[in-house]
PDB file of all heavy atoms in Angstrom:
ATOM      1  N   ARG A 236       0.807  -1.174   0.051  1.00  0.00           N
ATOM      2  CA  ARG A 236      -0.017   0.108   0.056  1.00  0.00           C
ATOM      3  C   ARG A 236       0.979   1.285  -0.112  1.00  0.00           C
ATOM      4  O   ARG A 236       0.557   2.233  -0.710  1.00  0.00           O
ATOM      5  CB  ARG A 236      -0.911  -0.002   1.159  1.00  0.00           C
ATOM      6  CG  ARG A 236      -1.883   1.156   1.233  1.00  0.00           C
ATOM      7  CD  ARG A 236      -2.519   1.365   2.551  1.00  0.00           C
ATOM      8  NE  ARG A 236      -3.537   2.394   2.682  1.00  0.00           N
ATOM      9  CZ  ARG A 236      -3.380   3.647   2.739  1.00  0.00           C
ATOM     10  NH1 ARG A 236      -2.019   4.100   2.872  1.00  0.00           N
ATOM     11  NH2 ARG A 236      -4.266   4.584   2.786  1.00  0.00           N
ATOM     12  N   ASN A 237       1.851   1.285   0.772  1.00  0.00           N
ATOM     13  CA  ASN A 237       2.826   2.512   0.821  1.00  0.00           C
ATOM     14  C   ASN A 237       3.495   2.640  -0.416  1.00  0.00           C
ATOM     15  O   ASN A 237       3.717   3.790  -0.858  1.00  0.00           O
ATOM     16  CB  ASN A 237       3.838   2.299   1.956  1.00  0.00           C
ATOM     17  CG  ASN A 237       3.112   2.354   3.399  1.00  0.00           C
ATOM     18  OD1 ASN A 237       2.036   2.760   3.537  1.00  0.00           O
ATOM     19  ND2 ASN A 237       3.914   1.763   4.422  1.00  0.00           N
ATOM     20  N   MET A 238       3.998   1.649  -1.188  1.00  0.00           N
ATOM     21  CA  MET A 238       4.569   1.835  -2.425  1.00  0.00           C
ATOM     22  C   MET A 238       3.697   2.190  -3.501  1.00  0.00           C
ATOM     23  O   MET A 238       4.048   3.239  -4.234  1.00  0.00           O
ATOM     24  CB  MET A 238       5.175   0.474  -2.840  1.00  0.00           C
ATOM     25  CG  MET A 238       5.866   0.421  -4.157  1.00  0.00           C
ATOM     26  SD  MET A 238       6.553  -1.134  -4.747  1.00  0.00           S
ATOM     27  CE  MET A 238       8.006  -1.278  -3.670  1.00  0.00           C
ATOM     28  N   ILE A 239       2.320   1.768  -3.398  1.00  0.00           N
ATOM     29  CA  ILE A 239       1.451   2.333  -4.480  1.00  0.00           C
ATOM     30  C   ILE A 239       1.108   3.772  -4.136  1.00  0.00           C
ATOM     31  O   ILE A 239       1.075   4.552  -5.107  1.00  0.00           O
ATOM     32  CB  ILE A 239       0.130   1.411  -4.426  1.00  0.00           C
ATOM     33  CG1 ILE A 239       0.487   0.028  -4.942  1.00  0.00           C
ATOM     34  CG2 ILE A 239      -0.950   2.186  -5.303  1.00  0.00           C
ATOM     35  CD1 ILE A 239       0.981   0.051  -6.317  1.00  0.00           C
ATOM     36  N   GLU A 240       1.046   4.150  -2.916  1.00  0.00           N
ATOM     37  CA  GLU A 240       0.694   5.525  -2.552  1.00  0.00           C
ATOM     38  C   GLU A 240       1.789   6.487  -2.922  1.00  0.00           C
ATOM     39  O   GLU A 240       1.543   7.566  -3.548  1.00  0.00           O
ATOM     40  CB  GLU A 240       0.446   5.689  -0.969  1.00  0.00           C
ATOM     41  CG  GLU A 240      -0.054   7.085  -0.652  1.00  0.00           C
ATOM     42  CD  GLU A 240      -0.426   7.143   0.760  1.00  0.00           C
ATOM     43  OE1 GLU A 240      -0.200   6.083   1.592  1.00  0.00           O
ATOM     44  OE2 GLU A 240      -0.849   8.242   1.430  1.00  0.00           O
ATOM     45  N   ARG A 241       3.043   5.975  -2.728  1.00  0.00           N
ATOM     46  CA  ARG A 241       4.145   6.871  -3.069  1.00  0.00           C
ATOM     47  C   ARG A 241       4.174   7.035  -4.725  1.00  0.00           C
ATOM     48  O   ARG A 241       4.459   8.262  -5.138  1.00  0.00           O
ATOM     49  CB  ARG A 241       5.556   6.249  -2.542  1.00  0.00           C
ATOM     50  CG  ARG A 241       6.656   7.041  -2.969  1.00  0.00           C
ATOM     51  CD  ARG A 241       7.994   6.385  -2.470  1.00  0.00           C
ATOM     52  NE  ARG A 241       8.208   5.086  -2.871  1.00  0.00           N
ATOM     53  CZ  ARG A 241       8.342   3.907  -2.085  1.00  0.00           C
ATOM     54  NH1 ARG A 241       8.077   4.024  -0.791  1.00  0.00           N
ATOM     55  NH2 ARG A 241       8.623   2.755  -2.629  1.00  0.00           N
ATOM     56  N   ALA A 242       3.883   6.026  -5.339  1.00  0.00           N
ATOM     57  CA  ALA A 242       3.968   6.088  -6.884  1.00  0.00           C
ATOM     58  C   ALA A 242       2.824   7.031  -7.344  1.00  0.00           C
ATOM     59  O   ALA A 242       3.061   7.700  -8.340  1.00  0.00           O
ATOM     60  CB  ALA A 242       3.705   4.737  -7.486  1.00  0.00           C
ATOM     61  N   LEU A 243       1.714   7.025  -6.707  1.00  0.00           N
ATOM     62  CA  LEU A 243       0.506   7.892  -7.120  1.00  0.00           C
ATOM     63  C   LEU A 243       0.772   9.301  -6.786  1.00  0.00           C
ATOM     64  O   LEU A 243       0.432  10.277  -7.548  1.00  0.00           O
ATOM     65  CB  LEU A 243      -0.768   7.579  -6.482  1.00  0.00           C
ATOM     66  CG  LEU A 243      -1.204   6.132  -6.829  1.00  0.00           C
ATOM     67  CD1 LEU A 243      -2.676   5.793  -6.097  1.00  0.00           C
ATOM     68  CD2 LEU A 243      -1.521   6.084  -8.290  1.00  0.00           C
ATOM     69  N   ILE A 244       1.666   9.618  -5.683  1.00  0.00           N
ATOM     70  CA  ILE A 244       1.975  11.012  -5.263  1.00  0.00           C
ATOM     71  C   ILE A 244       3.000  11.474  -6.039  1.00  0.00           C
ATOM     72  O   ILE A 244       2.944  12.566  -6.572  1.00  0.00           O
ATOM     73  CB  ILE A 244       2.314  10.940  -3.759  1.00  0.00           C
ATOM     74  CG1 ILE A 244       1.144  10.668  -2.979  1.00  0.00           C
ATOM     75  CG2 ILE A 244       2.873  12.296  -3.400  1.00  0.00           C
ATOM     76  CD1 ILE A 244       1.392  10.441  -1.528  1.00  0.00           C
ATOM     77  N   LEU A 245       4.034  10.709  -6.371  1.00  0.00           N
ATOM     78  CA  LEU A 245       5.211  11.339  -7.081  1.00  0.00           C
ATOM     79  C   LEU A 245       5.357  11.132  -8.420  1.00  0.00           C
ATOM     80  O   LEU A 245       6.033  11.797  -9.265  1.00  0.00           O
ATOM     81  CB  LEU A 245       6.536  10.649  -6.465  1.00  0.00           C
ATOM     82  CG  LEU A 245       6.837  10.774  -5.007  1.00  0.00           C
ATOM     83  CD1 LEU A 245       7.982  10.075  -4.465  1.00  0.00           C
ATOM     84  CD2 LEU A 245       7.019  12.270  -4.486  1.00  0.00           C
ATOM     85  N   GLY A 246       4.493  10.215  -9.082  1.00  0.00           N
ATOM     86  CA  GLY A 246       4.497   9.948 -10.581  1.00  0.00           C
ATOM     87  C   GLY A 246       3.808  10.885 -11.377  1.00  0.00           C
ATOM     88  O   GLY A 246       3.129  11.795 -10.888  1.00  0.00           O
ATOM     89  N   ASP A 247       3.828  10.675 -12.598  1.00  0.00           N
ATOM     90  CA  ASP A 247       3.075  11.507 -13.665  1.00  0.00           C
ATOM     91  C   ASP A 247       1.771  11.009 -13.799  1.00  0.00           C
ATOM     92  O   ASP A 247       1.503   9.781 -14.169  1.00  0.00           O
ATOM     93  CB  ASP A 247       3.841  11.470 -14.953  1.00  0.00           C
ATOM     94  CG  ASP A 247       3.165  12.293 -15.930  1.00  0.00           C
ATOM     95  OD1 ASP A 247       2.167  12.780 -15.697  1.00  0.00           O
ATOM     96  OD2 ASP A 247       3.764  12.389 -17.127  1.00  0.00           O
ATOM     97  N   ALA A 248       0.783  11.738 -13.530  1.00  0.00           N
ATOM     98  CA  ALA A 248      -0.742  11.372 -13.467  1.00  0.00           C
ATOM     99  C   ALA A 248      -1.213  11.025 -14.872  1.00  0.00           C
ATOM    100  O   ALA A 248      -2.158  10.254 -14.922  1.00  0.00           O
ATOM    101  CB  ALA A 248      -1.636  12.449 -12.854  1.00  0.00           C
ATOM    102  N   GLY A 249      -0.529  11.425 -15.940  1.00  0.00           N
ATOM    103  CA  GLY A 249      -0.956  11.191 -17.205  1.00  0.00           C
ATOM    104  C   GLY A 249      -0.452   9.905 -17.925  1.00  0.00           C
ATOM    105  O   GLY A 249      -0.871   9.752 -18.969  1.00  0.00           O
ATOM    106  N   ARG A 250       0.297   9.154 -17.064  1.00  0.00           N
ATOM    107  CA  ARG A 250       0.785   7.891 -17.725  1.00  0.00           C
ATOM    108  C   ARG A 250       0.556   6.689 -16.813  1.00  0.00           C
ATOM    109  O   ARG A 250       0.320   6.854 -15.593  1.00  0.00           O
ATOM    110  CB  ARG A 250       2.232   8.033 -18.099  1.00  0.00           C
ATOM    111  CG  ARG A 250       3.099   8.340 -16.997  1.00  0.00           C
ATOM    112  CD  ARG A 250       4.553   8.315 -17.497  1.00  0.00           C
ATOM    113  NE  ARG A 250       5.512   8.602 -16.400  1.00  0.00           N
ATOM    114  CZ  ARG A 250       5.869   7.836 -15.457  1.00  0.00           C
ATOM    115  NH1 ARG A 250       5.301   6.554 -15.387  1.00  0.00           N
ATOM    116  NH2 ARG A 250       6.691   8.191 -14.339  1.00  0.00           N
ATOM    117  N   PRO A 251       0.682   5.505 -17.378  1.00  0.00           N
ATOM    118  CA  PRO A 251       0.587   4.321 -16.378  1.00  0.00           C
ATOM    119  C   PRO A 251       1.591   4.281 -15.389  1.00  0.00           C
ATOM    120  O   PRO A 251       2.698   4.950 -15.600  1.00  0.00           O
ATOM    121  CB  PRO A 251       0.642   3.109 -17.421  1.00  0.00           C
ATOM    122  CG  PRO A 251       0.276   3.647 -18.656  1.00  0.00           C
ATOM    123  CD  PRO A 251       0.717   5.128 -18.614  1.00  0.00           C
ATOM    124  N   ILE A 252       1.448   3.519 -14.390  1.00  0.00           N
ATOM    125  CA  ILE A 252       2.531   3.224 -13.495  1.00  0.00           C
ATOM    126  C   ILE A 252       3.546   2.125 -14.059  1.00  0.00           C
ATOM    127  O   ILE A 252       3.192   1.095 -14.538  1.00  0.00           O
ATOM    128  CB  ILE A 252       1.991   2.578 -12.143  1.00  0.00           C
ATOM    129  CG1 ILE A 252       1.134   3.626 -11.396  1.00  0.00           C
ATOM    130  CG2 ILE A 252       3.213   2.167 -11.149  1.00  0.00           C
ATOM    131  CD1 ILE A 252       0.474   3.121 -10.102  1.00  0.00           C
ATOM    132  N   GLU A 253       4.912   2.614 -14.091  1.00  0.00           N
ATOM    133  CA  GLU A 253       5.864   1.750 -14.733  1.00  0.00           C
ATOM    134  C   GLU A 253       6.816   1.226 -13.533  1.00  0.00           C
ATOM    135  O   GLU A 253       6.755   1.651 -12.508  1.00  0.00           O
ATOM    136  CB  GLU A 253       6.572   2.633 -15.792  1.00  0.00           C
ATOM    137  CG  GLU A 253       5.751   3.039 -16.953  1.00  0.00           C
ATOM    138  CD  GLU A 253       6.440   3.970 -17.788  1.00  0.00           C
ATOM    139  OE1 GLU A 253       7.492   4.288 -17.485  1.00  0.00           O
ATOM    140  OE2 GLU A 253       5.875   4.332 -18.904  1.00  0.00           O
ATOM    141  N   ILE A 254       7.706   0.403 -14.011  1.00  0.00           N
ATOM    142  CA  ILE A 254       8.685  -0.023 -13.064  1.00  0.00           C
ATOM    143  C   ILE A 254       9.511   0.992 -12.356  1.00  0.00           C
ATOM    144  O   ILE A 254       9.732   1.015 -11.216  1.00  0.00           O
ATOM    145  CB  ILE A 254       9.710  -1.161 -13.806  1.00  0.00           C
ATOM    146  CG1 ILE A 254       8.952  -2.280 -14.175  1.00  0.00           C
ATOM    147  CG2 ILE A 254      10.822  -1.498 -12.782  1.00  0.00           C
ATOM    148  CD1 ILE A 254       9.818  -3.479 -15.040  1.00  0.00           C
ATOM    149  N   SER A 255       9.731   1.942 -13.082  1.00  0.00           N
ATOM    150  CA  SER A 255      10.582   3.169 -12.482  1.00  0.00           C
ATOM    151  C   SER A 255       9.876   3.900 -11.422  1.00  0.00           C
ATOM    152  O   SER A 255      10.481   4.311 -10.551  1.00  0.00           O
ATOM    153  CB  SER A 255      10.922   4.161 -13.680  1.00  0.00           C
ATOM    154  OG  SER A 255       9.766   4.690 -14.224  1.00  0.00           O
ATOM    155  N   ASP A 256       8.532   3.732 -11.418  1.00  0.00           N
ATOM    156  CA  ASP A 256       7.720   4.379 -10.283  1.00  0.00           C
ATOM    157  C   ASP A 256       7.835   3.621  -9.046  1.00  0.00           C
ATOM    158  O   ASP A 256       7.538   4.122  -8.058  1.00  0.00           O
ATOM    159  CB  ASP A 256       6.280   4.569 -10.741  1.00  0.00           C
ATOM    160  CG  ASP A 256       6.030   5.478 -11.916  1.00  0.00           C
ATOM    161  OD1 ASP A 256       6.529   6.631 -11.763  1.00  0.00           O
ATOM    162  OD2 ASP A 256       5.392   5.068 -12.822  1.00  0.00           O
ATOM    163  N   LEU A 257       8.203   2.355  -9.246  1.00  0.00           N
ATOM    164  CA  LEU A 257       8.240   1.410  -8.068  1.00  0.00           C
ATOM    165  C   LEU A 257       9.630   1.095  -7.557  1.00  0.00           C
ATOM    166  O   LEU A 257       9.829   0.277  -6.742  1.00  0.00           O
ATOM    167  CB  LEU A 257       7.629   0.072  -8.516  1.00  0.00           C
ATOM    168  CG  LEU A 257       6.219   0.217  -9.161  1.00  0.00           C
ATOM    169  CD1 LEU A 257       5.769  -1.163  -9.573  1.00  0.00           C
ATOM    170  CD2 LEU A 257       5.220   0.753  -8.087  1.00  0.00           C
ATOM    171  N   GLN A 258      10.598   1.901  -8.100  1.00  0.00           N
ATOM    172  CA  GLN A 258      12.025   1.769  -7.721  1.00  0.00           C
ATOM    173  C   GLN A 258      12.533   3.066  -7.233  1.00  0.00           C
ATOM    174  O   GLN A 258      13.214   3.703  -7.951  1.00  0.00           O
ATOM    175  CB  GLN A 258      12.915   1.167  -8.801  1.00  0.00           C
ATOM    176  CG  GLN A 258      12.547  -0.205  -9.225  1.00  0.00           C
ATOM    177  CD  GLN A 258      13.390  -0.626 -10.417  1.00  0.00           C
ATOM    178  OE1 GLN A 258      13.570   0.157 -11.294  1.00  0.00           O
ATOM    179  NE2 GLN A 258      13.833  -1.978 -10.361  1.00  0.00           N
ATOM    180  N   ALA A 259      12.186   3.370  -5.959  1.00  0.00           N
ATOM    181  CA  ALA A 259      12.492   4.663  -5.338  1.00  0.00           C
ATOM    182  C   ALA A 259      14.115   4.841  -5.283  1.00  0.00           C
ATOM    183  O   ALA A 259      14.525   5.896  -5.426  1.00  0.00           O
ATOM    184  CB  ALA A 259      11.933   4.760  -4.036  1.00  0.00           C
ATOM    185  N   ASP A 260      14.820   3.801  -5.122  1.00  0.00           N
ATOM    186  CA  ASP A 260      16.281   3.901  -4.949  1.00  0.00           C
ATOM    187  C   ASP A 260      17.117   3.652  -6.208  1.00  0.00           C
ATOM    188  O   ASP A 260      18.246   3.647  -6.221  1.00  0.00           O
ATOM    189  CB  ASP A 260      16.730   2.965  -3.798  1.00  0.00           C
ATOM    190  CG  ASP A 260      15.919   3.287  -2.556  1.00  0.00           C
ATOM    191  OD1 ASP A 260      15.722   4.581  -2.289  1.00  0.00           O
ATOM    192  OD2 ASP A 260      15.796   2.302  -1.770  1.00  0.00           O
ATOM    193  N   SER A 261      16.439   3.144  -7.284  1.00  0.00           N
ATOM    194  CA  SER A 261      17.084   2.829  -8.483  1.00  0.00           C
ATOM    195  C   SER A 261      17.584   4.040  -9.205  1.00  0.00           C
ATOM    196  O   SER A 261      16.898   5.142  -9.193  1.00  0.00           O
ATOM    197  CB  SER A 261      16.426   1.856  -9.365  1.00  0.00           C
ATOM    198  OG  SER A 261      15.206   2.532  -9.893  1.00  0.00           O
ATOM    199  N   VAL A 262      18.626   3.944 -10.089  1.00  0.00           N
ATOM    200  CA  VAL A 262      19.059   5.134 -10.898  1.00  0.00           C
ATOM    201  C   VAL A 262      19.148   4.584 -12.257  1.00  0.00           C
ATOM    202  O   VAL A 262      19.977   3.752 -12.659  1.00  0.00           O
ATOM    203  CB  VAL A 262      20.391   5.586 -10.526  1.00  0.00           C
ATOM    204  CG1 VAL A 262      20.946   6.682 -11.282  1.00  0.00           C
ATOM    205  CG2 VAL A 262      20.488   6.034  -8.927  1.00  0.00           C
ATOM    206  N   PRO A 263      18.277   5.010 -13.204  1.00  0.00           N
ATOM    207  CA  PRO A 263      18.394   4.593 -14.538  1.00  0.00           C
ATOM    208  C   PRO A 263      19.605   5.159 -15.288  1.00  0.00           C
ATOM    209  O   PRO A 263      20.165   6.083 -14.931  1.00  0.00           O
ATOM    210  CB  PRO A 263      17.163   5.266 -15.252  1.00  0.00           C
ATOM    211  CG  PRO A 263      16.773   6.463 -14.423  1.00  0.00           C
ATOM    212  CD  PRO A 263      17.364   5.956 -13.042  1.00  0.00           C
ATOM    213  N   ASP A 264      19.852   4.395 -16.408  1.00  0.00           N
ATOM    214  CA  ASP A 264      21.123   4.813 -17.142  1.00  0.00           C
ATOM    215  C   ASP A 264      20.724   6.079 -17.996  1.00  0.00           C
ATOM    216  O   ASP A 264      19.603   6.558 -17.847  1.00  0.00           O
ATOM    217  CB  ASP A 264      21.576   3.748 -18.174  1.00  0.00           C
ATOM    218  CG  ASP A 264      20.452   3.333 -19.178  1.00  0.00           C
ATOM    219  OD1 ASP A 264      19.469   3.911 -19.187  1.00  0.00           O
ATOM    220  OD2 ASP A 264      20.850   2.525 -20.054  1.00  0.00           O
ATOM    221  N   GLU A 265      21.509   6.515 -18.830  1.00  0.00           N
ATOM    222  CA  GLU A 265      21.256   7.755 -19.563  1.00  0.00           C
ATOM    223  C   GLU A 265      20.037   7.703 -20.521  1.00  0.00           C
ATOM    224  O   GLU A 265      19.446   8.800 -20.661  1.00  0.00           O
ATOM    225  CB  GLU A 265      22.488   8.149 -20.411  1.00  0.00           C
ATOM    226  CG  GLU A 265      23.690   8.562 -19.514  1.00  0.00           C
ATOM    227  CD  GLU A 265      25.022   8.918 -20.403  1.00  0.00           C
ATOM    228  OE1 GLU A 265      24.765   8.938 -21.609  1.00  0.00           O
ATOM    229  OE2 GLU A 265      25.969   9.298 -19.796  1.00  0.00           O
TER     230      GLU A 265
END
């Protein structure tokens, strides 16, 4: 529940929830 709530608060409301929304500590490549 906390993970989903964080994704809804911090993510872009105009697109689906993606893996990047669920990895608060990950750093994508360029």
